[in-house]
Amino acid sequence: MSDNNKSIHEFDFSLICEYFSSMERQGPGSPEMTMKALGFVDNLNAGSRIADLGCGTGGQTMTLAQNTPGIITGIDLFPVFIDLFNENAGRLNVEDRVKGIVGSMDDLPFAEEELDLIWSEGAIYNIGFEKGLKYWHRFLKPGGFVAVSEASWFTAERPEEINTFWLDAYAEIDTIPNKVAVLQNSGYVPVACFILPENCWTDHFYVHQVKAQEVFLAKHRGNRAAEDLVENERREARLYDKYGEYYGYVFYIGKKI
Ligand code: SAH
């Protein structure tokens, strides 16, 4: 029984990898917003150590690499994403200072106070915003920065349908002031926060999925797990279209004290 479960789980896992591998980004974001967040981080130089946690295939990491000096380590749980990440670094000729490795963001291979900057776009939710911020804190030098994007409510109250969806998907979603308080209570000075504009969800994320979904469904015709995966993504996009004024991703930038 447990063997059956394991193989089903692994099958879903490889489908998820395949689905998202074809996209430049695996979550909402854009090069412009990566640059905007980077604008709040100072004191980086060629010796700076940077980690991008939950880096995926490295869409945002390559933007960082092209606009910062320093040595960047991308970490992701999925080996397929890390292979693509390292190919991307090679294509941009930054492989001497940008490397992707397989690992988990809750078990980091760094020394205490080794890092100048921890980056994480649309990924900290995997271990939770508060747990991630508190655990990662020890790896930053004093004065080092954390920059993460995280699902957040824009309003104190919202319609039942979207409230229920998010509490099921990620119960730690919260309002911006509450998230800033968590950042502060985790040992960082809140330096900035800003809402990712709508095009980070539409043009940079959901629009790319429409074509990818057709190709994916054609390849996996009749496969229930593949159909469910696509239906899930389409439902998310419909909900964003309907309720996008109530929630979104917010970039939070903090400085370790
Ligand atoms: N930062 C990328 C990817 C976001 S999607 C972007 O913005 O495009 C979230 C990523 O987190 C996925 O690539 C997923 O494989 C990764 N992930 C999930 N759990 C993880 C963990 N425990 N440690 C590291 N990465 C993880």
Side-chain angles (χ1 to χ4, degrees):
M1 181 69 192
S2 65
D3 277 356
N4 284 346
N5 284 343
K6 191 166 168 238
S7 63
I8 288 166
H9 178 74
E10 279 170 0
F11 184 56
D12 287 352
F13 183 82
S14 71
L15 274 179
I16 292 168
C17 277
E18 183 193 324
Y19 180 83
F20 282 104
S21 292
S22 62
M23 275 168 273
E24 196 172 308
R25 286 182 168 261
Q26 288 75 47
S30 72
E32 293 76 20
M33 293 305 114
T34 297
M35 292 297 293
K36 182 167 174 163
L38 189 59
F40 293 103
V41 176
D42 31 63
N43 297 333
L44 294 177
N45 56 50
S48 296
R49 299 276 165 168
I50 300 167
D52 184 358
L53 307 180
C55 58
T57 60
Q60 72 294 321
T61 331
M62 301 309 143
T63 301
L64 284 180
Q66 290 172 301
N67 293 283
T68 43
I71 296 149
I72 307 180
T73 306
I75 295 188
D76 202 282
L77 211 49
F78 285 11
V80 178
F81 290 168
I82 291 299
D83 289 345
L84 290 166
F85 178 107
N86 286 323
E87 279 172 29
N88 286 333
R91 201 170 304 122
L92 293 172
N93 291 318
V94 291
E95 71 272 30
D96 52 332
R97 63 182 187 91
V98 180
K99 286 204 172 44
I101 57 173
V102 176
S104 184
M105 60 176 78
D106 61 2
D107 185 18
L108 294 177
F110 304 110
E112 293 206 357
E113 302 194 352
E114 180 178 344
L115 301 171
D116 296 274
L117 170 63
I118 293 180
W119 203 269
S120 185
E121 292 196 32
I124 195 172
Y125 74 89
N126 286 297
I127 59 169
F129 187 72
E130 182 166 12
K131 180 182 168 189
L133 287 176
K134 286 188 170 155
Y135 171 61
W136 298 349
H137 189 268
R138 73 201 66 179
F139 299 103
L140 282 173
K141 293 174 186 158
F145 285 83
V146 68
V148 303
S149 63
E150 161 84 344
S152 308
W153 294 126
F154 298 160
T155 57
E157 290 177 12
R158 46 267 150 190
E160 185 57 30
E161 185 183 19
I162 195 62
N163 203 51
T164 307
F165 170 81
W166 270 102
L167 291 186
D168 179 47
Y170 181 50
E172 214 180 315
I173 186 172
D174 209 338
T175 60
I176 297 171
N178 287 346
K179 289 285 179 191
V180 170
V182 171
L183 182 64
Q184 179 137 43
N185 292 334
S186 303
Y188 306 88
V189 178
V191 171
C193 70
F194 62 89
I195 294 174
L196 294 190
E198 204 179 299
N199 74 356
C200 289
W201 293 77
T202 53
D203 303 350
H204 289 281
F205 193 47
Y206 289 137
V207 167
H208 293 283
Q209 292 195 31
V210 173
K211 184 81 205 142
Q213 284 164 356
E214 285 170 20
V215 175
F216 185 78
L217 284 177
K219 183 173 168 198
H220 296 286
R221 205 174 300 283
N223 177 332
R224 184 67 197 277
E227 287 166 4
D228 284 352
L229 174 63
V230 169
E231 181 41 37
N232 203 47
E233 294 303 311
R234 286 179 174 163
R235 173 156 183 255
E236 260 189 55
R238 282 196 300 275
L239 284 173
Y240 184 73
D241 192 41
K242 192 169 170 191
Y243 296 116
E245 72 215 78
Y246 295 99
Y247 70 97
Y249 263 93
V250 174
F251 236 119
Y252 297 92
I253 296 105
K255 185 170 184 168
K256 176 173 172 172
I257 43 175

